[in-house]
Amino acid sequence: MWRDNCSPQRKPVALFRPARARMPNDLIDLRQLRAFHALAETRGFTAAAQRLFITQSAVSHSIKALETSLGCRLFDRTGKQVGLTHQGRMLLKYAERIFRELELACDELSSLTNWGYGKLCIGAVTTMCQHLLPSVLREFRESFSNCDIRIHPGDTGEILDRLEAGEIDMAVGLDSGRRGGFECRPLFGDELAFLLAPAHSWNGKAELQRADLEAERFILYSRSSHTSRLVERYFERQGVVMRRALELGNMEAIKELVRIGLGVGIAAPWVAAEEIAAHTLVARPCRSEPPLTRQWALFLPRGHQPSLAEETFAGICETVAQTFVMDRAAESTPDF
């Protein structure tokens, strides 16, 4: 008698089985993860054992147990050297994040338990490191004398990338409208001007013509910076083609080249307040519409609950910035 192969007596075979949810006791052992992280960085069992102050055999057993627990191979072994597999590279990314978060947790608990202790990583634009942060740090030290403070200088884009990656706690830079995962606290605003040597032909000239701008050599800050993009848009609105420009990543070098007459700089007058007061540089307004204004701000991760040290540092930044901008404006007011 003919029988259908798909008769009800046969149970269908599941092609895909849902992954079993991990229970708390199934989670990765932290000691095994530390052994994995050490081996991934050193690429040798002996070096990993020395870093962790354990035996080479203990590292080997930890890696084997971890691979068994995860059901995949994490390393390719070639002689005495080891290399990460695709699964190993993926786990390393999460391991680094886990250890970074554990370190932050310990720092925050320490700052709550021991007043004045902890660690604070600040990213800041180079000019802020030189002009604003010294006053902020001096006042912050009075309350958190034992806090370990690390400053990471860079352009606004660079320090915001580090903030987004969790490598720093907050950043001081220019507000360019990039608000993705950040809380932005305004500090102060400024306006860009031309910086000239006192003997420059523009000094005292009633009005600048388009030909004056096109004939000049400009000494500009890094083209990747927000300030440089503002300057480029300014020239576009004026219908001016910048034919000659020298790009530098150091404001002190820019001021020196302007001082000896090698070109015209574009910067906020407060950056050159001392030189303007000493009459070694002159600031001439750009007189553009809209004006070449910028907004400086303090950035924190959105949704992050600041520690006491972070909130104190942010508050001091906001207070010092108000005094800073008023003092610098008085020092660097152009005589036009």
Side-chain angles (χ1 to χ4, degrees), residues 94-158:
Y94 287 102
E96 289 175 340
R97 185 184 304 174
I98 289 167
F99 291 131
R100 189 162 55 240
E101 290 295 325
L102 283 173
E103 185 179 1
L104 289 173
C106 291
D107 289 341
E108 290 201 19
L109 288 172
S110 176
S111 66
L112 291 174
T113 306
N114 304 299
W115 174 264
Y117 285 82
K119 185 171 70 175
L120 197 58
C121 294
I122 310 295
V125 171
T126 308
T127 48
M128 289 291 100
C129 293
Q130 180 180 353
H131 294 277
L132 179 71
L133 286 190
S135 298
V136 175
L137 293 172
R138 183 166 54 248
E139 188 170 338
F140 180 79
R141 280 292 188 191
E142 294 178 5
S143 299
F144 290 85
S145 57
N146 295 305
C147 184
D148 178 19
I149 302 176
R150 301 176 187 179
I151 306 296
H152 300 271
D155 290 336
T156 297
E158 295 171 355

Side-chain angles (χ1 to χ4, degrees), residues 144-258:
F144 290 85
S145 57
N146 295 305
C147 184
D148 178 19
I149 302 176
R150 301 176 187 179
I151 306 296
H152 300 271
D155 290 336
T156 297
E158 295 171 355
I159 59 177
L160 288 184
D161 285 343
R162 300 192 76 162
L163 182 63
E164 196 167 33
E167 297 173 5
I168 57 177
D169 300 310
M170 59 182 69
V172 180
L174 286 166
D175 183 3
S176 60
R178 178 181 170 182
R179 297 293 179 82
F182 310 117
E183 174 193 344
C184 178
R185 301 187 185 182
L187 293 176
F188 68 92
D190 62 16
E191 183 172 347
L192 299 178
F194 294 122
L195 292 184
L196 318 169
H200 195 280
S201 61
W202 287 9
N203 192 10
K205 192 171 186 177
E207 188 175 346
L208 296 178
Q209 304 298 322
R210 180 169 143 183
D212 295 321
L213 298 172
E214 290 186 338
E216 187 54 63
R217 177 192 297 277
F218 290 96
I219 305 174
L220 306 175
Y221 195 68
S222 171
R223 287 289 178 92
S224 63
S225 68
H226 177 58
T227 298
S228 181
R229 290 191 291 272
L230 283 177
V231 171
E232 289 175 359
R233 288 197 289 269
Y234 162 76
F235 281 110
E236 288 174 2
R237 288 196 301 269
Q238 302 294 318
V240 173
V241 178
M242 248 196 319
R243 293 188 174 86
R244 301 193 302 164
L246 180 61
E247 178 186 350
L248 291 174
N250 184 288
M251 188 54 67
E252 295 305 307
I254 290 174
K255 290 190 293 183
E256 182 59 22
L257 293 184
V258 170

